[in-house]
Every structure is written in structure tokens, then in C-alpha cells.
Amino acid sequence: MKALFRLRPEEAIALLFLVPTTYLTVVANVYARRVGALGDRHPGGMARLAAALVFLAFLAAARRLWPRGAWVRGLREVLPFLTCILIYTNLHDTIGFVNPHDIHYTLAALDEELFGVQPCVWAERFVTPARTELMQLLYMSFLWIAPSTSLILLLQRRWREFRAATMAVLVCFYLGYFLYVMFPAAPPRLVFVYDFTRSLEGYPRVFSALSARAFTLLPVDSRAAFPSLHAAVSLVALIHAWRHARRWFWVLLPFAVGLWLSTIYLRHHFVVDLIAGWALAPLAVALAPRLDAWWTRRQVALGYAPARGAEVRPAA
């Protein structure tokens, strides 16, 4: 346990998720190939894991060879985001193996109760190729929205604020991953596949085509819809932008709102997924500094160097 505190808290949590999800990803792929009819459960999944292991081995070697190298320290700062992506793709493979009790029909019933219609099906009336391209662009913007506030603070070398924003985003991701496993839910595009009458086709070789190619990498039985981490993490980024980079908040706000709308238009989430995501965000923002402070106190007590920007708070 003492050796565990050599790691940062986000690295320890990542390890907690990464080991079992990697094991189950391998099991899922082996099972799918034995069954035969299923084919590869997640195309490229094994290659992705191998590449990640090579990268982690390289980083471990670089820390030993060049412990004071600025580029090595920079890699360690961004590695948690890359690990989050790896765990997310692993979860798509493994949720069905861990918990087969789906709740997406309950979520659909809640949406029906709240709105009198299924919002994703109702939104079909607005479908045009141009709107689809816009919505695909907004949906894909999550890739830069999630780390954006942290990266701005990192470039400004505001280490304490960078640490606070990064920890909040990562804690939000991992809380969401835990809830994915506890409450497996397929997205509306799979639940209502026979209810949709209009195709979300955009223009050739633009954003919709790129998004379609990306979604071919996901298994057809995806169960990572509740809560919406697109809603949760983007709200966390907004909260810390409001606190520490107010001008960036106003730039980020329309993209975040557009992202939330795109999840309904593109049939990726129920509205109750978004509501759960918005509720998760302030919980992550409140929990992250407490977790970081507790971990930092333990590291200092054991003689280990805490993360740059970590605040040492006295125990309550």
C-alpha cells in the first residue's frame, strides 16, 4: 500500500480500472472468436491494448533515464487523459460481461413520462444533411472540450488551477465509468433502431462520414449511455473555466450547449442521461479536491513528492 502512494491519485484510480477492463477485453475477444459468428467484438481492440502497453513501458523507461526532462514531465501530465480513453473503449467490450441487467427501457420510459414523446424520435423532423454535419461537428468537439480548460491552465503554468481542473475532469470520468457498469444502458440509436424513419446522412467525406467510421470501432451492443459523460465532463470544463479562465468560458459555452443538443439529435443519449450527467458534474467538482488533498497528505507523510500543483490541506 505504501508503494501505491508513489503514484498520483489519478494514476492509482486508472490502474484500478485498467487492469480488470484490460483482462475482460482479452476475455471478450477470445470468447467472440471462439463463438465465430460474432467476429471481432471490438475491431482493433487488441492492437490498441498492445500500443498502450508499449507507450506505458516507454514512459516508465523515460522517467528512469531522464527524470528531470521537461518532455517526460509533460507526458505524465497528459497521460491520464489518454488512459481515460483507453478505459472507455475497454468498457464498451466488458460491461455486458460484468452486468447484463440493462436499464435503457427504463430510461426510455422516463423520457416518455417527462416529455410525452421520445425526444430522439421527435427530433427527426429537424434532420437535414447540413444540420447533421453541424451536429456531428459539435459532437466530435467533445474531444477537445474535455481537456481544454486544463490545457489552457497548463500553458499558463498555473499549476494549482491546472491540477484542480484536471482532477475534476478525471474524477468525473471515473465516476461515470463506475455508473456505466452499475447501470448498463444502450443508446437510443440501438434501442429505437426500428422507430427511426430518417437516416442521419450528411455529405460525403465530411464530419458525418468521419463519425460513421469512428462508430464502426464500437461493438453493436454498446452499453455506455448512462450517465452522459459528454454532458458531465463538458460541464466540469465549463465550471473550471468560469472559475479560472473566464474568457475561455464564454468561448466554450456555445460549443458545450451545441454538444448537449447533438447527443439527442444524433440519437446517442436519452434526455435523462444528460440530466444524470449534469448532476454528476458538481459531485465530481466537489469530490476531486478532497480526494487530491487526502492523497497528498499521505504522500507527504510517507516522504513521496506530490503532483505539481497539488495543495496540501490540513486534515479536517
Side-chain angles (χ1 to χ4, degrees), residues 81 141-152 162 169 173 233 237:
F81 287 106
S141 69
F142 179 71
L143 295 174
W144 61 262
I145 287 175
S148 64
T149 302
S150 293
L151 290 175
I152 286 174
F162 164 76
V169 167
F173 267 118
V233 174

Side-chain angles (χ1 to χ4, degrees), residues 142 172 227-237 260 274 276-282:
F142 179 71
C172 189
S228 169
L229 284 178
H230 287 77
V233 174
S234 58
L235 182 54
V236 171
W260 302 337
L274 299 181
W278 292 326
L280 179 62

